[in-house]
Amino acid sequence: MDKTATDAWQTIDSVAQNSGIENMAPPLQVALFLGALALLSSALVSLTSFTRIIIVLSFVRRALTTQEIPPNPVLIGLSLFLTLFTMGPTFDAIGSKALTPYLNQQGNPESEETVSLGEALRISADELRFFMIRQTRRNDLALFIHMSRIEPPETAEDTPMRVLVPAFIISELKTAFIMGFCLYVPFILIDLVVSTVLMSLGMMMMPPVVISLPFKILLFVLVDGWHLVAHALSASFA
């Protein structure tokens, strides 16, 4: 698990419970905000669907044996936008329940729909917790509850972030590797067929990957592979 992300969430939990955060001096609030931005990349990897998506897309490239095609910036960019797509309902809930009311408080403190910074952080954490719980396997969650030596929570929503985050990550890794295995199977069959044909023709010195690569690309294009991969990734978070 990413220790930085865990430490960040422990800090967020403590900040969210601190009712006096609004009384901090503006420079301290700015420093806290900038510190949170520094942990944004860790949060993106550890608390969202990004990990599963980037691993599956990397498996696609390796299964095709196309080396660096698509290049890393393309895969990362596609992963980011698929993350925004799959996390859309969660981000919308955070925006409507936490961000907008908090901004209303800053612009119009007398508005009825306002929340404090601590409350906004707590609501955001709850929305992310709800998303992660739905994607986390029970046995993974039970493992970290057992290792943390805490009392089992009465409901899944009561699970501490320091327990939920690592359970969520290993669940995402397992799911991504299962999807990667399924992607590899048809391309391995192509490699086996090409190797068998080359052996029967006595062309044992010819690397099978040189011959199989065009057939893999052709198969991937004919079945509209990128469409299927994007659909499978999006549907896996439904």
Side-chain angles (χ1 to χ4, degrees), residues 11-83:
T11 303
I12 289 176
D13 282 341
S14 62
V15 168
Q17 297 171 4
N18 184 1
S19 59
I21 188 172
E22 288 80 17
N23 298 326
M24 288 183 178
L28 290 179
Q29 294 186 10
V30 172
L32 183 63
F33 176 73
L34 293 177
L37 287 181
L39 299 172
L40 188 61
S41 60
S42 296
L44 174 66
V45 173
S46 304
L47 310 176
T48 68
S49 56
F50 181 83
T51 297
R52 183 190 306 185
I53 293 172
I54 190 62
I55 291 176
V56 171
L57 293 180
S58 299
F59 269 117
V60 172
R61 186 171 66 180
R62 287 182 176 274
L64 287 170
T65 62
T66 53
Q67 302 300 325
E68 295 299 322
I69 301 174
N72 288 330
V74 174
L75 288 186
I76 294 174
L78 178 58
S79 300
L80 284 173
F81 282 100
L82 283 176
T83 299

Side-chain angles (χ1 to χ4, degrees), residues 59-205:
F59 269 117
V60 172
R61 186 171 66 180
R62 287 182 176 274
L64 287 170
T65 62
T66 53
Q67 302 300 325
E68 295 299 322
I69 301 174
N72 288 330
V74 174
L75 288 186
I76 294 174
L78 178 58
S79 300
L80 284 173
F81 282 100
L82 283 176
T83 299
L84 291 175
F85 178 77
T86 55
M87 296 289 296
T90 301
F91 290 154
D92 289 344
I94 291 174
S96 61
K97 297 179 182 179
L99 182 59
T100 300
Y102 174 69
L103 294 177
N104 287 341
Q105 184 202 38
Q106 302 301 307
N108 184 13
E110 297 181 357
S111 175
E112 294 182 358
E113 296 184 357
T114 61
V115 296
S116 63
L117 177 58
E119 183 69 11
L121 290 174
R122 186 192 63 78
I123 293 172
S124 302
D126 288 343
E127 292 296 333
L128 284 173
R129 182 184 285 110
F130 178 70
F131 167 79
M132 289 189 288
I133 286 173
R134 288 189 302 156
Q135 307 301 327
T136 305
R137 293 176 172 83
R138 288 188 177 182
N139 58 336
D140 294 330
L141 195 57
L143 169 66
F144 285 95
I145 290 176
H146 172 72
M147 290 194 299
S148 64
R149 298 180 180 178
I150 64 173
E151 290 294 328
E154 295 183 1
T155 62
E157 289 73 16
D158 296 331
T159 306
M161 276 293 186
R162 67 186 181 89
V163 172
L164 178 58
V165 172
F168 169 74
I169 293 175
I170 64 173
S171 291
E172 288 292 280
L173 290 174
K174 181 176 181 179
T175 302
F177 274 69
I178 291 173
M179 296 179 71
F181 170 79
C182 296
L183 286 167
Y184 254 96
V185 171
F187 299 111
I188 289 177
L189 294 177
I190 292 177
D191 286 332
L192 290 174
V193 171
V194 170
S195 298
T196 302
V197 172
L198 291 178
M199 289 287 289
S200 64
L201 294 176
M203 303 174 64
M204 290 176 287
M205 300 300 294

